[in-house]
Amino acid sequence: MDGRSEFLCGVVEGFYGRPWSMEQRKVLFQWMQRWELNTYLYGPKDDLKHRLLWREVYSPEEEGQLRTLIVESEKRGLRFVYSLSPGQDIVFSSACDLSLLKRKLRQVSKLGCQAFAILFDDIDHSLCQADSQAFSSFAHAQVSVANEIYRFLGEPPVFLFCPTEYCGSLCSPSVSKSPYLMTVGEDLLPNISIIWTGETQTATSLIYTEKRVGPRIEPCGTPIDCQRTGQHALRFDTLNSVCKVIGEPGKAVIRKTEATESADKNMVIDRVESLGKGGDGEEREKKLHNNQFQQGPGQPRSPGGVLCVGKAPLSESQIRLLVGLHYLPHEHGPSAQRLLQDLTWLKEHCHLVSANDKKGPPQKAEEWRGRAAGFLGVCEEIAALHSSVVSGVSKAVLYDLYPYVWDLRNTALVAKAFICWLGCGTTTGAELLGVESEPWVFKGGVSGELQMLLPIGSNSELFSHPPPLFPTSRLYNIRPYHNKDKAELYCMVRQLQQGAQGSPNSSPAHPDLIGDRCLGPCLALCPEYSMVLEDELGVCGCVLGVVDVRSFAKRCQTCWMPAMRDKYPPRTGHANSQEVLQQMEEDQGEYPDSLLYHFPSQLRLDALPDLVDISVTRCLLTALLTALKANGSHGVFCEMQPTDRMRLDFLTKLGFLEIIRGEARHREGVVLGRLL
């Protein structure tokens, strides 16, 4: 086949992260054959000998694997394109580096490869001193090397060049005025094809002069799109042809032509439907073929038509949800759209269930609660999806999916807790609108858009953390406190206190003593700012808040302390209870005005030590901060002992800073605060 005139359409394995395995690539080739694609480009950024150690030749074992891959691709009617990324540290004027580059490509050529690509993307524009003396510009240096390698390889029918300015946002000062692109267009040999991303009309007129008529490759979306969504989809395109888009093996796939462009919004869901529906086998197979979607060879299927991806199958509804939540760079699937629309509507109409709005029609309140139930249901499905991905898929799939599913699970936990809190009718509506910040503050995808809709969303340090090293499938939930939780919470803090001191700290006659001191005032006087963390076994954490410390302290003196004196009278004769009662009195001491001016609110966080995923504790704290911010608080603080290093480190990573040491209610205490 003459690659210069052939329409190249296929897959680029050119992403950052763990490369695909040899077996995954073989399965991919089988899929590509069914989809009538014709080209596979090998260029995983984290393959050391593709980028970082590009000078090193392949070992005999690696040669064997690469040869097998080339042969396998040819069996499937695919053109295998081998790419190299030497741009990070190549000395363009070095005869030695040029010789090493030729040696590497000669080795691959002898393995049977007949198509090549040289990639200069994602590198700095600067030249070393030797190159500055040898070349007039960065573009001239790259073009010189590319032309020489092209001739050295015998001018293969497919030779691709990826420029450093490979999309409009990277062009300086613009696409039409870029000296770099002008040099590439003028000096690159005519039959070398150029890779370009995004809008093509201006770039085409600049790069493809009369002597440059070769085809080009065009990735799908911008580089930022791919980074924000984690998708590594690329499309091959020629000057006047349609495009075909595909993703990684095991992910949803779209193939689009001009004739089917209007229907592409439904294609991913069509694929999911095809994965789970039974019925007449012949009709089902015909539908799959007509939709250009077919299950890859070697993928087992459960009797119920569910895609099996590892130890246990994901259900059809979970595949639908997964696809809908990770749809396209600039387009959400149905489940994601519904999630964002419902959160926006529920937030804007929360006055319908506010305790302060007595005049609203009951049917409107019912509408709000109905939509809230739907929103909470999707959040619960996301939590279940996270659990299923951890426990039910292969390690390879888990490696790829877990960071995205885990991150969305956490944001959904916070959003769900926020809607539950709004449903309690305790909001004043002070700060319910979403936040306006620079775009880089937010993550990409559905998780980032959910974050933007939360009152606390601009505080990126609350949402951006790496996933745990040891994934857990345990289901967690965060919700507002109910009166029935009191006994469990008291038991939890009693266990924590005993564990910290190594012995029981409360008399058997007064099992509530520790709970009354640590949690009682908040649960009794401002339960609307109390959040509970629970798993399948029950309550495992809580965070208690006070929106206005000054007024709360007055209420404690007039309401809470008299009740405690009645509950623990001196005549009972329990020295322990009297000691704790004295500590309760000390707890009501005043904080300085300088602290409360900037940090009017206070919190207390407790969690059992057996939490495998510490991120759920971060979600618990974020849920409370969201509620405090929504009701007008602009700062929050907490007091703890300086010996509690774990808690200090945890809060510091979430943006809390040490405000007071030695001037807290307890002389040895440390006060940490953060603005909201």
Side-chain angles (χ1 to χ4, degrees):
M1 290 185 295
D2 183 6
R4 296 186 180 93
S5 59
E6 182 189 7
F7 172 33
L8 304 180
C9 55
V11 175
V12 174
E13 183 184 347
F15 50 87
Y16 292 89
R18 178 175 58 86
W20 294 331
S21 69
M22 299 299 289
E23 290 305 314
Q24 285 176 317
R25 291 173 183 135
K26 290 179 181 179
V27 173
L28 170 68
F29 294 165
Q30 296 175 18
W31 292 356
M32 292 174 67
Q33 183 182 33
R34 290 194 176 192
W35 298 329
E36 300 178 5
L37 304 180
N38 61 30
T39 305
Y40 165 78
L41 188 148
Y42 176 88
K45 293 292 190 292
D46 284 0
D47 175 354
L48 294 180
K49 292 186 178 180
H50 162 79
R51 186 174 176 89
L52 186 62
L53 304 178
W54 62 268
R55 294 176 178 87
E56 296 187 13
V57 295
Y58 290 106
S59 67
E61 181 182 359
E62 291 167 335
E63 275 190 338
Q65 292 180 333
L66 201 53
R67 182 185 291 108
T68 300
L69 203 59
I70 294 170
V71 171
E72 187 69 23
S73 67
E74 291 176 348
K75 286 182 180 178
R76 301 294 176 181
L78 304 174
R79 183 188 303 277
F80 184 96
V81 181
Y82 177 83
S83 71
L84 210 57
S85 296
Q88 279 189 316
D89 60 356
I90 187 174
V91 179
F92 294 95
S93 58
S94 168
C96 179
D97 269 3
L98 198 57
S99 175
L100 292 175
L101 185 58
K102 292 177 179 178
R103 182 185 67 167
K104 181 68 165 286
L105 295 175
R106 182 192 302 116
Q107 180 190 29
V108 178
S109 177
K110 289 181 178 180
L111 299 177
C113 182
Q114 301 176 14
F116 299 88
I118 186 164
L119 313 180
F120 292 114
D121 56 319
D122 299 346
I123 60 174
D124 188 30
H125 276 73
S126 60
L127 290 172
C128 67
Q129 185 175 358
D131 288 340
S132 298
Q133 295 173 353
F135 300 103
S136 59
S137 70
F138 191 54
H140 280 104
Q142 292 182 355
V143 168
S144 174
V145 169
N147 287 343
E148 182 162 348
I149 293 300
Y150 176 64
R151 294 191 183 101
F152 168 76
L153 292 171
E155 300 187 2
V158 172
F159 189 87
L160 312 175
F161 174 88
C162 181
T164 304
E165 295 183 4
Y166 58 84
C167 66
S169 62
L170 294 178
C171 295
S172 177
S174 65
V175 175
S176 61
K177 298 180 180 180
S178 167
Y180 174 91
L181 291 182
M182 291 179 185
T183 300
V184 170
E186 291 174 357
D187 294 350
L188 199 65
L189 290 175
N191 287 323
I192 298 179
S193 301
I194 299 174
I195 296 174
W196 179 257
T197 299
E199 190 275 326
T200 61
Q201 185 173 359
T202 305
T204 299
S205 61
L206 183 69
I207 294 176
Y208 286 82
T209 59
E210 288 186 1
K211 68 176 183 177
R212 293 201 47 76
V213 294
R216 80 179 175 283
I217 306 176
E218 180 180 317
C220 176
T222 68
I224 294 176
D225 296 335
C226 296
Q227 292 169 10
R228 285 169 63 89
T229 62
Q231 296 177 7
H232 312 300
L234 296 169
R235 73 171 179 255
F236 287 76
D237 198 10
T238 55
L239 290 177
N240 299 302
S241 64
V242 297
C243 68
K244 298 184 180 181
V245 182
I246 76 171
E248 296 181 27
K251 291 190 176 179
V253 176
I254 303 176
R255 297 185 66 211
K256 181 171 66 175
T257 65
E258 290 172 340
T260 61
E261 187 172 3
S262 62
D264 67 353
K265 294 182 180 180
N266 300 317
M267 279 189 165
V268 172
I269 294 303
D270 287 343
R271 170 164 168 76
V272 174
E273 289 174 348
S274 70
L275 288 176
K277 288 183 178 179
D280 183 82
E282 184 176 345
E283 277 297 311
R284 191 158 144 268
E285 193 65 26
K286 183 186 298 183
K287 180 181 178 181
L288 286 171
H289 179 75
N290 291 338
N291 284 341
Q292 301 291 340
F293 292 127
Q294 292 180 314
Q295 184 184 8
Q299 290 290 333
R301 186 182 296 278
S302 67
V306 186
L307 179 65
C308 295
V309 290
K311 293 172 285 186
L314 294 180
S315 68
E316 175 191 343
S317 62
Q318 287 180 321
I319 299 174
R320 279 176 169 273
L321 180 64
L322 183 63
V323 171
L325 294 172
H326 303 89
Y327 197 64
L328 290 172
H330 291 295
E331 186 176 345
H332 296 307
S335 51
Q337 292 178 17
R338 185 171 67 253
L339 196 70
L340 295 169
Q341 291 168 359
D342 283 347
L343 179 55
T344 302
W345 188 92
L346 291 168
K347 196 174 59 167
E348 292 175 350
H349 295 83
C350 65
H351 62 277
L352 297 174
V353 291
S354 172
N356 299 323
D357 187 9
K358 303 292 186 181
K359 300 179 181 180
Q363 60 269 27
K364 289 293 184 180
E366 288 303 313
E367 180 185 2
W368 192 96
R369 298 193 184 282
R371 292 193 67 162
F375 178 84
L376 301 181
V378 176
C379 291
E380 291 170 0
E381 290 172 4
I382 292 173
L385 173 64
H386 169 270
S387 179
S388 296
V389 167
V390 173
S391 62
V393 302
S394 67
K395 290 183 179 180
V397 176
L398 176 62
Y399 184 100
D400 289 328
L401 292 183
Y402 183 67
Y404 305 104
V405 178
W406 169 85
D407 178 60
L408 186 56
R409 187 280 308 260
N410 283 358
T411 308
L413 276 177
V414 177
K416 179 174 180 284
F418 177 55
I419 293 302
C420 288
W421 178 78
L422 288 179
C424 295
T426 55
T427 176
T428 63
E431 297 286 346
L432 278 177
L433 295 179
V435 293
E436 292 186 4
S437 296
E438 297 295 344
W440 52 80
V441 171
F442 305 103
K443 300 169 291 187
V446 180
S447 181
E449 294 196 35
L450 283 175
Q451 175 189 338
M452 291 174 63
L453 293 173
L454 297 173
I456 202 73
S458 61
N459 296 269
S460 58
E461 68 275 7
L462 297 174
F463 295 89
S464 301
H465 288 269
L469 293 176
F470 304 101
T472 174
S473 61
R474 184 172 296 184
L475 287 170
Y476 291 99
N477 182 42
I478 299 173
R479 58 171 175 78
Y481 163 81
H482 302 309
N483 289 334
K484 62 182 178 61
D485 300 318
K486 180 178 177 180
E488 278 194 89
L489 293 179
Y490 271 36
C491 179
M492 182 185 70
V493 295
R494 187 165 62 246
Q495 292 175 1
L496 292 173
Q497 189 83 4
Q498 292 171 356
Q501 298 186 356
S503 61
N505 190 49
S506 61
S507 167
H510 295 285
D512 293 346
L513 204 56
I514 299 303
D516 280 339
R517 182 195 174 192
C518 298
L519 310 180
C522 289
L523 297 182
L525 302 179
C526 52
E528 66 272 20
Y529 296 107
S530 300
M531 298 279 186
V532 172
L533 172 67
E534 58 187 357
D535 59 14
E536 297 102 321
L537 302 178
V539 172
C540 53
C542 69
V543 61
L544 313 182
V546 176
V547 71
D548 185 347
V549 172
R550 283 195 180 95
S551 62
F552 177 77
K554 294 177 182 178
R555 294 174 65 197
C556 282
Q557 290 291 355
T558 58
C559 301
W560 180 253
M561 288 312 301
M564 291 299 98
R565 295 186 192 103
D566 292 341
K567 186 173 182 178
Y568 305 108
R571 64 178 180 273
T572 56
H574 291 279
N576 184 279
S577 64
Q578 294 308 302
E579 178 184 344
V580 175
L581 191 61
Q582 180 62 35
Q583 292 172 343
M584 290 185 191
E585 297 278 5
E586 295 174 359
D587 288 344
Q588 307 312 312
E590 295 185 356
Y591 287 103
D593 290 338
S594 59
L595 171 68
L596 298 182
Y597 178 80
H598 296 286
F599 308 97
S601 303
Q602 186 178 11
L603 66 83
R604 176 191 174 94
L605 177 67
D606 292 287
L608 292 176
D610 62 348
L611 289 175
V612 178
D613 187 352
I614 195 66
S615 70
V616 294
T617 311
R618 169 169 56 86
C619 296
L620 175 65
L621 178 64
T622 304
L624 172 65
L625 298 183
T626 301
L628 293 174
K629 174 72 171 179
N631 273 358
S633 176
H634 57 264
V636 63
F637 72 92
C638 59
E639 183 177 353
M640 65 192 65
Q641 298 301 310
T643 55
D644 193 351
R645 297 306 312 171
M646 183 176 295
R647 197 183 304 251
L648 286 170
D649 292 342
F650 174 78
L651 291 173
T652 300
K653 291 178 180 178
L654 296 181
F656 283 79
L657 301 175
E658 184 176 319
I659 307 300
I660 298 177
R661 183 183 288 267
E663 296 183 11
R665 286 176 175 172
H666 303 285
R667 277 306 204 183
E668 68 279 11
V670 176
V671 173
L672 300 182
R674 66 157 292 152
L675 298 175
L676 300 179

